[in-house]
Amino acid sequence: MQFSSKIGGIGASLGFIGVILGALGAHALEQILEVEALESFKTGVYYLQWHGLVLVVFGFATRKEERISGYLRWSIGLFGLGMLLFSGSIFGLVLLPLLDLNVRFLGPVTPLGGLSLMAGWVALLLHFIRPQKNK
């Protein structure tokens, strides 16, 4: 399987998971969670879906390329890490207390995920504005 197919498939999977989590939030969690927690959950879903869509676009954009630029690879990796840390920590902070689990340690993880997403966008910007030797 080509790198582009893997990235596109991961992006599509994350989009699918985002739809499931969005439906969960809209139909099941709104009865259980306080408004602030539900808004945080929706933010996690929003970022998961948008960045999953970006990975799908990356999959299409790199389909015919034999080598992917270093900046683009960094962007893909940083987006993946960012989604895991940002959205994942939000989901954990919102859902795991429903199981009486103490997950306060996840609080500092969320901004690290946000920083990773920002760095992914910077890497993507560099992909477009800096010449690549390996292209």
Side-chain angles (χ1 to χ4, degrees):
M1 179 182 280
Q2 285 185 325
F3 180 76
S4 61
S5 295
K6 289 178 189 175
I7 295 305
I10 290 169
S13 298
L14 292 171
F16 175 71
I17 291 167
V19 171
I20 290 171
L21 292 174
L24 177 71
H27 300 291
L29 296 178
E30 72 177 356
Q31 307 298 324
I32 300 169
L33 297 175
E34 294 182 22
V35 173
E36 185 177 312
L38 187 59
E39 286 303 312
S40 293
F41 187 83
K42 288 178 181 179
T43 299
V45 170
Y46 178 81
Y47 277 80
L48 181 71
Q49 288 183 308
W50 273 109
H51 287 87
L53 180 60
V54 168
L55 292 181
V56 169
V57 170
F58 284 169
F60 282 117
T62 60
R63 182 159 266 169
K64 293 182 180 180
E65 294 183 35
E66 290 183 26
R67 292 180 56 93
I68 312 265
S69 79
Y71 291 126
L72 190 55
R73 282 188 182 272
W74 271 101
S75 183
I76 291 166
L78 288 164
F79 282 158
L81 179 64
M83 285 185 285
L84 177 67
L85 296 177
F86 184 81
S87 294
S89 65
I90 289 175
F91 299 147
L93 286 165
V94 170
L95 298 175
L96 294 176
L98 297 174
L99 302 173
D100 290 326
L101 295 173
N102 181 357
V103 291
R104 289 185 304 175
F105 69 91
L106 290 175
V109 173
T110 307
L112 293 175
L115 288 172
S116 179
L117 292 172
M118 287 183 238
W121 285 106
V122 169
L124 184 59
L125 174 65
L126 291 172
H127 167 76
F128 287 112
I129 64 173
R130 306 260 324 214
Q132 301 284 312
K133 292 179 182 175
N134 64 346
K135 254 189 150 179

